Amino acid sequence: DFFTAKELMQQCIEVCEDNAQKAKYLYQAGLVAFSKGRMDDAREYANKSISFNKNYGDAYLLLADLIFRSAPTKVGKGQTRDQVYWNLGIYCCAATDKAQQAMRMDPGCKSRAQNKINRFYAKNYYPKSEAFFRGAKAGQRVSVDGYTTTLRLR
């Protein structure tokens, strides 16, 4: 039961006096929320985790996964397939930004962050050959759905 677990986790956090441990509890709650498809809760827990320990790389990696998972992958009304792939590429660039932030803040998560970038995010960057037709170039600033990032191309 997610709501019971959420309440028990909140109690643990309230009695804990160590900020690093609070960050871990919040991160773990975020993982549970993520696994249950409760993305808003997972994002809230990850951000709270970082507020207690700004160097906790796992929380940044959770945010990267949340960004990646929130990318729309189906063509909606008024969209073209190309627009969906363009947006997916931007989401993956934003997820890469968050994974790189994890590496900067917590060098201990470097291999996991790099693995996520290589296995999931980078393969979904928009292709260079198609970017030409959009007038887009690697390194420019791009935005979608509140995420602003540096464009990376494959």
Side-chain angles (χ1 to χ4, degrees):
D1 177 20
F2 178 77
F3 295 104
T4 302
K6 185 176 179 178
E7 187 176 309
L8 292 172
M9 184 60 68
Q10 188 59 41
Q11 290 173 12
C12 288
I13 293 163
E14 287 173 9
V15 298
C16 183
E17 295 182 12
D18 178 14
N19 282 349
Q21 189 61 48
K22 281 184 185 185
K24 287 181 183 180
Y25 288 148
L26 287 160
Y27 165 72
Q28 290 167 348
L31 284 180
V32 170
F34 184 81
S35 73
K36 298 294 183 185
R38 302 187 60 87
M39 300 309 157
D40 289 339
D41 288 326
R43 186 173 289 105
E44 180 182 342
Y45 283 126
N47 284 319
K48 282 184 181 178
S49 175
I50 291 167
S51 75
F52 284 103
N53 181 359
K54 69 178 178 110
N55 296 318
Y56 193 35
D58 288 333
Y60 292 99
L61 289 177
L62 178 55
L63 289 173
D65 286 340
L66 285 161
I67 293 168
F68 177 66
R69 179 156 306 162
S70 67
T73 56
K74 296 181 181 174
V75 177
K77 188 174 183 174
Q79 287 184 316
T80 64
R81 184 175 174 201
D82 182 64
Q83 186 64 44
V84 171
Y85 288 123
W86 171 256
N87 290 344
L88 174 61
I90 295 172
Y91 274 85
C92 288
C93 291
T96 296
D97 289 347
K98 200 55 75 174
Q100 288 177 337
Q101 187 177 12
M103 289 188 276
R104 285 190 308 274
M105 302 309 284
D106 181 0
C109 71
K110 183 177 181 176
S111 65
R112 284 180 291 121
Q114 195 60 58
N115 186 42
K116 286 178 182 287
I117 292 168
N118 294 340
R119 290 189 63 212
F120 303 109
Y121 313 146
K123 73 178 190 174
N124 289 296
Y125 296 162
Y126 199 72
K128 286 179 190 176
S129 59
E130 298 297 318
F132 170 80
F133 296 107
R134 287 183 163 271
K137 295 182 181 178
Q140 77 183 59
R141 299 296 287 171
V142 291
S143 298
V144 67
D145 295 334
Y147 297 108
T148 299
T149 183
T150 302
L151 183 63
R152 297 167 180 87
L153 302 170
R154 62 175 164 85

